[in-house]
mmCIF file of all heavy atoms in Angstrom:
data_model
loop_
_atom_site.group_PDB
_atom_site.id
_atom_site.type_symbol
_atom_site.label_atom_id
_atom_site.label_comp_id
_atom_site.label_asym_id
_atom_site.label_seq_id
_atom_site.Cartn_x
_atom_site.Cartn_y
_atom_site.Cartn_z
ATOM 1 N N GLY G 1511 74.560 178.861 44.156
ATOM 2 C CA GLY G 1511 75.025 179.476 42.894
ATOM 3 C C GLY G 1511 74.711 178.643 41.648
ATOM 4 O O GLY G 1511 75.083 179.069 40.529
ATOM 5 N N LYS G 1512 73.980 177.539 41.782
ATOM 6 C CA LYS G 1512 73.676 176.664 40.643
ATOM 7 C C LYS G 1512 72.164 176.599 40.482
ATOM 8 O O LYS G 1512 71.421 176.377 41.441
ATOM 9 C CB LYS G 1512 74.255 175.291 40.868
ATOM 10 C CG LYS G 1512 73.978 174.311 39.711
ATOM 11 C CD LYS G 1512 74.577 172.937 40.032
ATOM 12 C CE LYS G 1512 74.246 171.915 38.921
ATOM 13 N NZ LYS G 1512 74.759 170.572 39.225
ATOM 14 N N ASN G 1513 71.688 176.730 39.233
ATOM 15 C CA ASN G 1513 70.259 176.581 38.949
ATOM 16 C C ASN G 1513 69.833 175.142 39.095
ATOM 17 O O ASN G 1513 70.345 174.260 38.382
ATOM 18 C CB ASN G 1513 69.995 177.085 37.517
ATOM 19 C CG ASN G 1513 68.526 177.242 37.199
ATOM 20 O OD1 ASN G 1513 68.125 177.196 36.061
ATOM 21 N ND2 ASN G 1513 67.698 177.489 38.226
ATOM 22 N N VAL G 1514 68.921 174.866 40.017
ATOM 23 C CA VAL G 1514 68.463 173.524 40.295
ATOM 24 C C VAL G 1514 66.919 173.503 40.188
ATOM 25 O O VAL G 1514 66.235 173.879 41.117
ATOM 26 C CB VAL G 1514 68.873 173.034 41.710
ATOM 27 C CG1 VAL G 1514 68.397 171.623 41.983
ATOM 28 C CG2 VAL G 1514 70.394 173.136 41.874
ATOM 29 N N PRO G 1515 66.373 173.066 39.084
ATOM 30 C CA PRO G 1515 64.905 172.988 38.965
ATOM 31 C C PRO G 1515 64.334 172.069 40.046
ATOM 32 O O PRO G 1515 64.793 170.919 40.195
ATOM 33 C CB PRO G 1515 64.691 172.415 37.553
ATOM 34 C CG PRO G 1515 65.944 172.741 36.811
ATOM 35 C CD PRO G 1515 67.048 172.671 37.830
ATOM 36 N N LEU G 1516 63.356 172.574 40.764
ATOM 37 C CA LEU G 1516 62.757 171.767 41.834
ATOM 38 C C LEU G 1516 61.524 171.043 41.304
ATOM 39 O O LEU G 1516 60.562 171.673 40.855
ATOM 40 C CB LEU G 1516 62.348 172.670 43.004
ATOM 41 C CG LEU G 1516 63.500 173.251 43.848
ATOM 42 C CD1 LEU G 1516 62.943 174.071 44.989
ATOM 43 C CD2 LEU G 1516 64.442 172.138 44.378
ATOM 44 N N HIS G 1517 61.558 169.721 41.332
ATOM 45 C CA HIS G 1517 60.442 168.916 40.890
ATOM 46 C C HIS G 1517 60.215 167.840 41.958
ATOM 47 O O HIS G 1517 61.127 167.145 42.358
ATOM 48 C CB HIS G 1517 60.689 168.269 39.533
ATOM 49 C CG HIS G 1517 62.042 167.634 39.433
ATOM 50 N ND1 HIS G 1517 63.080 168.179 38.700
ATOM 51 C CD2 HIS G 1517 62.594 166.532 39.985
ATOM 52 C CE1 HIS G 1517 64.158 167.421 38.768
ATOM 53 N NE2 HIS G 1517 63.893 166.395 39.574
ATOM 54 N N GLY G 1518 58.964 167.732 42.411
ATOM 55 C CA GLY G 1518 58.790 166.772 43.476
ATOM 56 C C GLY G 1518 57.326 166.479 43.776
ATOM 57 O O GLY G 1518 56.465 166.583 42.918
ATOM 58 N N VAL G 1519 57.092 166.076 45.009
ATOM 59 C CA VAL G 1519 55.797 165.560 45.409
ATOM 60 C C VAL G 1519 55.348 166.238 46.703
ATOM 61 O O VAL G 1519 56.131 166.866 47.421
ATOM 62 C CB VAL G 1519 55.880 164.022 45.655
ATOM 63 C CG1 VAL G 1519 56.294 163.311 44.375
ATOM 64 C CG2 VAL G 1519 56.834 163.690 46.776
ATOM 65 N N SER G 1520 54.067 166.060 47.002
ATOM 66 C CA SER G 1520 53.518 166.389 48.318
ATOM 67 C C SER G 1520 53.353 165.058 49.082
ATOM 68 O O SER G 1520 53.223 163.984 48.496
ATOM 69 C CB SER G 1520 52.184 167.085 48.216
ATOM 70 O OG SER G 1520 52.315 168.337 47.549
ATOM 71 N N ARG G 1521 53.315 165.177 50.405
ATOM 72 C CA ARG G 1521 53.184 163.979 51.244
ATOM 73 C C ARG G 1521 52.243 164.229 52.401
ATOM 74 O O ARG G 1521 52.351 165.255 53.102
ATOM 75 C CB ARG G 1521 54.516 163.554 51.793
ATOM 76 C CG ARG G 1521 54.448 162.381 52.821
ATOM 77 C CD ARG G 1521 55.736 162.252 53.603
ATOM 78 N NE ARG G 1521 55.724 161.088 54.512
ATOM 79 C CZ ARG G 1521 55.700 161.175 55.829
ATOM 80 N NH1 ARG G 1521 55.671 162.334 56.426
ATOM 81 N NH2 ARG G 1521 55.702 160.054 56.568
ATOM 82 N N HIS G 1522 51.285 163.340 52.612
ATOM 83 C CA HIS G 1522 50.549 163.216 53.845
ATOM 84 C C HIS G 1522 51.221 162.114 54.656
ATOM 85 O O HIS G 1522 51.856 161.187 54.118
ATOM 86 C CB HIS G 1522 49.091 162.884 53.611
ATOM 87 C CG HIS G 1522 48.182 164.088 53.545
ATOM 88 N ND1 HIS G 1522 48.055 164.960 54.602
ATOM 89 C CD2 HIS G 1522 47.415 164.552 52.569
ATOM 90 C CE1 HIS G 1522 47.181 165.896 54.243
ATOM 91 N NE2 HIS G 1522 46.799 165.695 53.031
ATOM 92 N N GLN G 1523 51.077 162.157 56.011
ATOM 93 C CA GLN G 1523 51.828 161.255 56.859
ATOM 94 C C GLN G 1523 51.112 159.950 57.176
ATOM 95 O O GLN G 1523 51.710 159.070 57.854
ATOM 96 C CB GLN G 1523 52.163 161.986 58.151
ATOM 97 C CG GLN G 1523 50.975 162.352 58.997
ATOM 98 C CD GLN G 1523 51.290 163.162 60.225
ATOM 99 O OE1 GLN G 1523 52.499 163.373 60.518
ATOM 100 N NE2 GLN G 1523 50.311 163.629 60.947
ATOM 101 N N ASP G 1524 49.842 159.741 56.741
ATOM 102 C CA ASP G 1524 49.133 158.567 57.198
ATOM 103 C C ASP G 1524 49.407 157.322 56.374
ATOM 104 O O ASP G 1524 49.909 157.388 55.254
ATOM 105 C CB ASP G 1524 47.637 158.863 57.273
ATOM 106 C CG ASP G 1524 47.053 159.246 55.885
ATOM 107 O OD1 ASP G 1524 47.694 160.012 55.158
ATOM 108 O OD2 ASP G 1524 45.933 158.772 55.530
ATOM 109 N N ARG G 1525 49.003 156.172 56.950
ATOM 110 C CA ARG G 1525 49.191 154.866 56.320
ATOM 111 C C ARG G 1525 47.902 154.046 56.514
ATOM 112 O O ARG G 1525 47.214 154.195 57.486
ATOM 113 C CB ARG G 1525 50.344 154.105 56.994
ATOM 114 C CG ARG G 1525 51.689 154.603 56.630
ATOM 115 C CD ARG G 1525 52.425 153.531 55.891
ATOM 116 N NE ARG G 1525 53.711 154.006 55.406
ATOM 117 C CZ ARG G 1525 54.632 153.206 54.903
ATOM 118 N NH1 ARG G 1525 54.417 151.888 54.797
ATOM 119 N NH2 ARG G 1525 55.778 153.696 54.480
ATOM 120 N N GLN G 1526 47.707 153.129 55.552
ATOM 121 C CA GLN G 1526 46.532 152.287 55.650
ATOM 122 C C GLN G 1526 46.558 151.488 56.958
ATOM 123 O O GLN G 1526 47.571 150.898 57.347
ATOM 124 C CB GLN G 1526 46.505 151.319 54.470
ATOM 125 C CG GLN G 1526 45.236 150.455 54.412
ATOM 126 C CD GLN G 1526 45.137 149.707 53.118
ATOM 127 O OE1 GLN G 1526 45.738 150.052 52.118
ATOM 128 N NE2 GLN G 1526 44.345 148.624 53.132
ATOM 129 N N ASP G 1527 45.406 151.476 57.651
ATOM 130 C CA ASP G 1527 45.180 150.771 58.891
ATOM 131 C C ASP G 1527 45.997 151.290 60.080
ATOM 132 O O ASP G 1527 45.895 150.752 61.170
ATOM 133 C CB ASP G 1527 45.460 149.258 58.740
ATOM 134 C CG ASP G 1527 44.568 148.614 57.663
ATOM 135 O OD1 ASP G 1527 43.442 149.104 57.461
ATOM 136 O OD2 ASP G 1527 45.027 147.642 57.046
ATOM 137 N N LYS G 1528 46.789 152.325 59.869
ATOM 138 C CA LYS G 1528 47.597 152.940 60.931
ATOM 139 C C LYS G 1528 47.220 154.381 61.192
ATOM 140 O O LYS G 1528 47.482 154.906 62.293
ATOM 141 C CB LYS G 1528 49.067 152.871 60.591
ATOM 142 C CG LYS G 1528 49.692 151.514 60.580
ATOM 143 C CD LYS G 1528 51.175 151.559 60.331
ATOM 144 C CE LYS G 1528 51.837 150.201 60.407
ATOM 145 N NZ LYS G 1528 53.315 150.292 60.239
ATOM 146 N N GLY G 1529 46.643 155.059 60.257
ATOM 147 C CA GLY G 1529 46.391 156.490 60.384
ATOM 148 C C GLY G 1529 47.677 157.235 60.520
ATOM 149 O O GLY G 1529 48.638 156.978 59.782
ATOM 150 N N TRP G 1530 47.730 158.160 61.475
ATOM 151 C CA TRP G 1530 48.961 158.912 61.719
ATOM 152 C C TRP G 1530 49.922 158.244 62.679
ATOM 153 O O TRP G 1530 51.045 158.737 62.864
ATOM 154 C CB TRP G 1530 48.605 160.300 62.279
ATOM 155 C CG TRP G 1530 47.978 161.229 61.282
ATOM 156 C CD1 TRP G 1530 47.958 161.104 59.913
ATOM 157 C CD2 TRP G 1530 47.261 162.431 61.577
ATOM 158 N NE1 TRP G 1530 47.284 162.148 59.356
ATOM 159 C CE2 TRP G 1530 46.858 162.991 60.351
ATOM 160 C CE3 TRP G 1530 46.933 163.089 62.760
ATOM 161 C CZ2 TRP G 1530 46.104 164.182 60.257
ATOM 162 C CZ3 TRP G 1530 46.207 164.280 62.698
ATOM 163 C CH2 TRP G 1530 45.801 164.830 61.465
ATOM 164 N N ALA G 1531 49.541 157.111 63.268
ATOM 165 C CA ALA G 1531 50.404 156.443 64.226
ATOM 166 C C ALA G 1531 51.380 155.520 63.508
ATOM 167 O O ALA G 1531 51.285 154.289 63.563
ATOM 168 C CB ALA G 1531 49.556 155.634 65.254
ATOM 169 N N ILE G 1532 52.294 156.141 62.792
ATOM 170 C CA ILE G 1532 53.238 155.389 61.932
ATOM 171 C C ILE G 1532 54.558 155.223 62.631
ATOM 172 O O ILE G 1532 54.856 155.890 63.616
ATOM 173 C CB ILE G 1532 53.411 156.099 60.580
ATOM 174 C CG1 ILE G 1532 53.966 157.490 60.763
ATOM 175 C CG2 ILE G 1532 52.085 156.123 59.815
ATOM 176 C CD1 ILE G 1532 54.249 158.203 59.444
ATOM 177 N N SER G 1533 55.388 154.334 62.114
ATOM 178 C CA SER G 1533 56.683 154.042 62.704
ATOM 179 C C SER G 1533 57.787 154.725 62.006
ATOM 180 O O SER G 1533 57.621 155.278 60.900
ATOM 181 C CB SER G 1533 56.915 152.534 62.674
ATOM 182 O OG SER G 1533 57.110 152.094 61.314
ATOM 183 N N LYS G 1534 58.967 154.680 62.586
ATOM 184 C CA LYS G 1534 60.162 155.217 61.929
ATOM 185 C C LYS G 1534 60.485 154.446 60.651
ATOM 186 O O LYS G 1534 60.955 155.018 59.673
ATOM 187 C CB LYS G 1534 61.355 155.213 62.902
ATOM 188 C CG LYS G 1534 61.261 156.294 63.992
ATOM 189 C CD LYS G 1534 62.435 156.274 64.914
ATOM 190 C CE LYS G 1534 62.473 157.491 65.845
ATOM 191 N NZ LYS G 1534 61.200 157.618 66.623
ATOM 192 N N GLU G 1535 60.254 153.132 60.663
ATOM 193 C CA GLU G 1535 60.459 152.344 59.457
ATOM 194 C C GLU G 1535 59.511 152.771 58.344
ATOM 195 O O GLU G 1535 59.909 152.809 57.166
ATOM 196 C CB GLU G 1535 60.313 150.863 59.720
ATOM 197 C CG GLU G 1535 61.406 150.256 60.601
ATOM 198 C CD GLU G 1535 62.763 150.439 59.925
ATOM 199 O OE1 GLU G 1535 62.914 150.180 58.719
ATOM 200 O OE2 GLU G 1535 63.731 150.863 60.625
ATOM 201 N N ASP G 1536 58.280 153.106 58.701
ATOM 202 C CA ASP G 1536 57.345 153.620 57.688
ATOM 203 C C ASP G 1536 57.897 154.912 57.046
ATOM 204 O O ASP G 1536 57.805 155.095 55.834
ATOM 205 C CB ASP G 1536 55.993 153.932 58.325
ATOM 206 C CG ASP G 1536 55.262 152.684 58.763
ATOM 207 O OD1 ASP G 1536 55.507 151.612 58.217
ATOM 208 O OD2 ASP G 1536 54.447 152.798 59.733
ATOM 209 N N GLN G 1537 58.438 155.770 57.880
ATOM 210 C CA GLN G 1537 58.939 157.053 57.377
ATOM 211 C C GLN G 1537 60.186 156.852 56.526
ATOM 212 O O GLN G 1537 60.373 157.524 55.488
ATOM 213 C CB GLN G 1537 59.223 157.973 58.553
ATOM 214 C CG GLN G 1537 57.963 158.283 59.358
ATOM 215 C CD GLN G 1537 58.169 159.304 60.464
ATOM 216 O OE1 GLN G 1537 58.427 160.464 60.188
ATOM 217 N NE2 GLN G 1537 58.031 158.862 61.687
ATOM 218 N N LYS G 1538 61.022 155.925 56.902
ATOM 219 C CA LYS G 1538 62.211 155.608 56.078
ATOM 220 C C LYS G 1538 61.781 155.070 54.736
ATOM 221 O O LYS G 1538 62.401 155.378 53.688
ATOM 222 C CB LYS G 1538 63.103 154.625 56.835
ATOM 223 C CG LYS G 1538 63.873 155.236 58.008
ATOM 224 C CD LYS G 1538 64.504 154.196 58.875
ATOM 225 C CE LYS G 1538 65.634 153.452 58.181
ATOM 226 N NZ LYS G 1538 66.287 152.525 59.126
ATOM 227 N N GLN G 1539 60.738 154.263 54.698
ATOM 228 C CA GLN G 1539 60.255 153.721 53.442
ATOM 229 C C GLN G 1539 59.727 154.837 52.559
ATOM 230 O O GLN G 1539 59.961 154.858 51.340
ATOM 231 C CB GLN G 1539 59.195 152.688 53.638
ATOM 232 C CG GLN G 1539 58.720 152.015 52.361
ATOM 233 C CD GLN G 1539 57.560 151.039 52.531
ATOM 234 O OE1 GLN G 1539 56.777 151.213 53.414
ATOM 235 N NE2 GLN G 1539 57.465 150.075 51.627
ATOM 236 N N ASP G 1540 58.991 155.748 53.149
ATOM 237 C CA ASP G 1540 58.485 156.931 52.366
ATOM 238 C C ASP G 1540 59.634 157.686 51.740
ATOM 239 O O ASP G 1540 59.573 158.056 50.575
ATOM 240 C CB ASP G 1540 57.652 157.845 53.257
ATOM 241 C CG ASP G 1540 56.226 157.361 53.475
ATOM 242 O OD1 ASP G 1540 55.912 156.247 52.998
ATOM 243 O OD2 ASP G 1540 55.461 158.058 54.143
ATOM 244 N N ILE G 1541 60.666 157.952 52.512
ATOM 245 C CA ILE G 1541 61.820 158.662 51.978
ATOM 246 C C ILE G 1541 62.430 157.895 50.814
ATOM 247 O O ILE G 1541 62.760 158.478 49.749
ATOM 248 C CB ILE G 1541 62.889 158.855 53.116
ATOM 249 C CG1 ILE G 1541 62.438 159.988 54.061
ATOM 250 C CG2 ILE G 1541 64.261 159.170 52.512
ATOM 251 C CD1 ILE G 1541 62.617 161.381 53.534
ATOM 252 N N ALA G 1542 62.582 156.590 50.944
ATOM 253 C CA ALA G 1542 63.197 155.774 49.906
ATOM 254 C C ALA G 1542 62.363 155.812 48.636
ATOM 255 O O ALA G 1542 62.906 155.887 47.508
ATOM 256 C CB ALA G 1542 63.383 154.351 50.409
ATOM 257 N N LEU G 1543 61.040 155.759 48.784
ATOM 258 C CA LEU G 1543 60.172 155.768 47.590
ATOM 259 C C LEU G 1543 60.171 157.123 46.907
ATOM 260 O O LEU G 1543 60.170 157.188 45.671
ATOM 261 C CB LEU G 1543 58.729 155.394 48.005
ATOM 262 C CG LEU G 1543 58.535 153.929 48.418
ATOM 263 C CD1 LEU G 1543 57.226 153.740 49.090
ATOM 264 C CD2 LEU G 1543 58.655 153.025 47.174
#
Side-chain angles (χ1 to χ4, degrees):
K1512 180 182 178 181
N1513 191 205
V1514 180
L1516 290 182
H1517 47 252
V1519 300
S1520 297
R1521 174 195 184 248
H1522 267 299
Q1523 65 185 354
D1524 59 318
R1525 284 245 175 170
Q1526 185 170 338
D1527 300 331
K1528 292 185 176 183
W1530 289 343
I1532 60 176
S1533 69
K1534 287 180 169 56
E1535 288 303 313
D1536 292 333
Q1537 298 185 68
K1538 287 168 67 175
Q1539 185 186 28
D1540 280 4
I1541 285 284
L1543 289 167

